[in-house]
Amino acid sequence: MKATPAASTTGGRTPATAVPNRICTTSSRSANCPPRGGSTRVAGQRLGVFGGRRRRTAPVVRVFGDEDEEATTGEVPPSQSENSNITAAPDRPSPASLARTLSDLDAILGVEDEEEEQQDKRDEPLKVEFNPDILKKIAQADGKSPTSADGGGGYFGDKGSETDDGDKEAEKVKSAAEQISKIVSEVRQGGEKSSEESLRKEFDKLVELLKPEEMSNTVSREDCKVMKERVFGAETFWVTEIVQNNDIIGGMLFKGNLRGEVDAVYEKVETEIKRLFPDKYEVLAIEEPDAEDFEDLKGRERIAFLLLPAQVAKPPSTTRGQYVVSLLLATIGALSCLQVGIGAELSMVPQEIIDATLKSGTAENQESLQGLLAGWDPRPLIQAAWPIGAAIFGAEIAHDIGHRVVAASKGLKLGPSFIIPNGQIGLFGSITQYKSLCKNRADMFDVAYGGLAASGAVASALFLSGLILSMDQGAESLVPVPSVLFQGSVLLGTLAKTFVGSAAMAKSQVMVHPNLIAGWCSLVCTALNALPVGSLDGGRIVQAAYGKRALSISAILTYAGLGFGLLGSTLSLPFGLYVLFCQRVPEQYLKNHVTGVNTNRALFGAAVLIFAVATLLPMAPTDLDILQATI
């Protein structure tokens, strides 16, 4: 804002008192300042005294004769010209002072800049951004609809492949896009706020019509409002807040106060949501994430309801590739079990072949080994080894059948099992995924326990029968195994010493029946899967019986035990890596995460943990073991 004093043609000084009365605005592009008598009216319009609407263009205030005018025009002021007799008043107000004066007057008179800001917003072009997929569909509907001039292909297919439904939907999309374009033009031309509201509504309709994939996997806020009014209430669950879920993208979390038993409330809520929105949403009952206390003042659980799109909440369907991988892993697992049987019957291999194998580093020794293998018949070894391998593999099959029988009784679906082979004990178990949501924690407990119970029963029968048959150390069916093997388990080693005898176990090799070897490997495999970590059977049991917090604590202890070799001995490192990469995440496909299990299930869960630890915890070395190690 510039201000200059009025100039005198005679070189006289303009009185300072005349300066305010000669102030005028140049926003109207007038070449002359209004007369003194009209200055009050002009100032009133400038300052809003008479309610005049302010223009968007910023007015420039001048006092005629300003010798600083060259700042904007680039001309030399008359006061600096050699032939000029115009002199500026030395006591005139500065331009900054005049600007502050006008600003203060605006503040005193209560003039606000709302109208100017609104005018600015009207002048700015309205920005409407579309999702790229939406733009693509709009372009297809506009330019390649069946009614288009170029005769292009349909909206949902190539040329000539469109259907009547596709034509109608394309026309709807095109109509919605045209309506949005019309409203955008009205808003740009200075339309009222109602035009902007209409634009928002039409855009929402268009998004709902197009339904891009990312929008279909999110929960609608309008549906949440309907649920708050018609599903939840004072008799079930009083909703105090609806927020976006941070753990699973696309979900909404209903926080509030529980007004009844969790099971009964959840059943009512789920039934009503299924009635209002069939096959659209799944609702989960979870512990409230931000709750400081586990219970409220009335002793009820602090819970929240997690609403998820059905596509997100349900487990992914089984693919053909998963069946192929499952069959491949089962084949490798069967060969791995056969390898364990061959290792148990290694005494049937001629000693010269074993020596040649150990010395096969040179080309000459390799030729000698090939000659020995060519003249040796391995069929007796395979015949003796396959029953052991079959028993180990059979225990795992029983484990999988146990899962599936219990799951079928609960109405649950399971995917194909992925058997994990291991060279030491044959198998590490298998990964079995849910393909439907568990109703509650009790169902999850029963499915996990069913598999462990089945494999544990088969393995225990093999182990006990082997112990009984091993009591006669002179029997022909016995095979030698290193006695140090029995030091790897407190439970199994103690039973072996009790049945076979301490004298036989004190030797470097002890004669045992093949059933004992198969039973031992199967029991160790069952115990590994009973560890309370991640989505192993033991982890599911602990999560169901004691909750996620207990599972987190037990998982930390389990990882520590595996890391230091306190659980599983030489198997601890490979099994720990397997769990860390494949089974570390707790089970998520569960509807009611809150309601626990009854006392009997909790006791069975504790028994499973004791069995796992006792089987995998190695025995402390005895004085005889220490003496033999030093010799």
Side-chain angles (χ1 to χ4, degrees), residues 375-395:
W376 175 62
D377 185 10
R379 287 179 294 179
L381 176 62
I382 301 298
Q383 293 176 356
W386 80 261
I388 299 177
I392 298 174
F393 195 80

Side-chain angles (χ1 to χ4, degrees), residues 572-594:
S572 59
L573 181 59
F575 186 79
L577 294 175
Y578 153 67
V579 173
L580 189 63
F581 284 103
C582 301
Q583 298 275 61
R584 70 179 184 277
V585 180
E587 186 59 54
Q588 300 292 333
Y589 297 114
L590 180 64
K591 291 185 177 181
N592 186 350
H593 291 253
V594 180

Side-chain angles (χ1 to χ4, degrees), residues 95-141:
S97 176
L98 286 175
R100 286 195 298 269
T101 301
L102 292 175
S103 177
D104 294 341
L105 287 174
D106 284 347
I108 294 172
L109 295 174
V111 178
E112 298 179 354
D113 292 336
E114 294 180 356
E115 295 183 0
E116 184 175 349
E117 292 176 358
Q118 292 177 0
Q119 184 67 25
D120 291 342
K121 292 180 180 179
R122 293 192 185 98
D123 292 344
E124 293 178 358
L126 181 66
K127 296 180 181 179
V128 181
E129 296 182 359
F130 290 87
N131 185 286
D133 295 335
I134 298 177
L135 285 175
K136 182 179 179 181
K137 291 186 177 181
I138 292 175
Q140 291 173 345

Side-chain angles (χ1 to χ4, degrees), residues 295-306:
E295 298 179 349
D296 57 16
L297 297 177
K298 294 185 178 181
R300 300 190 181 102
E301 294 90 343
R302 289 282 189 183
I303 73 168
F305 285 92
L306 177 60

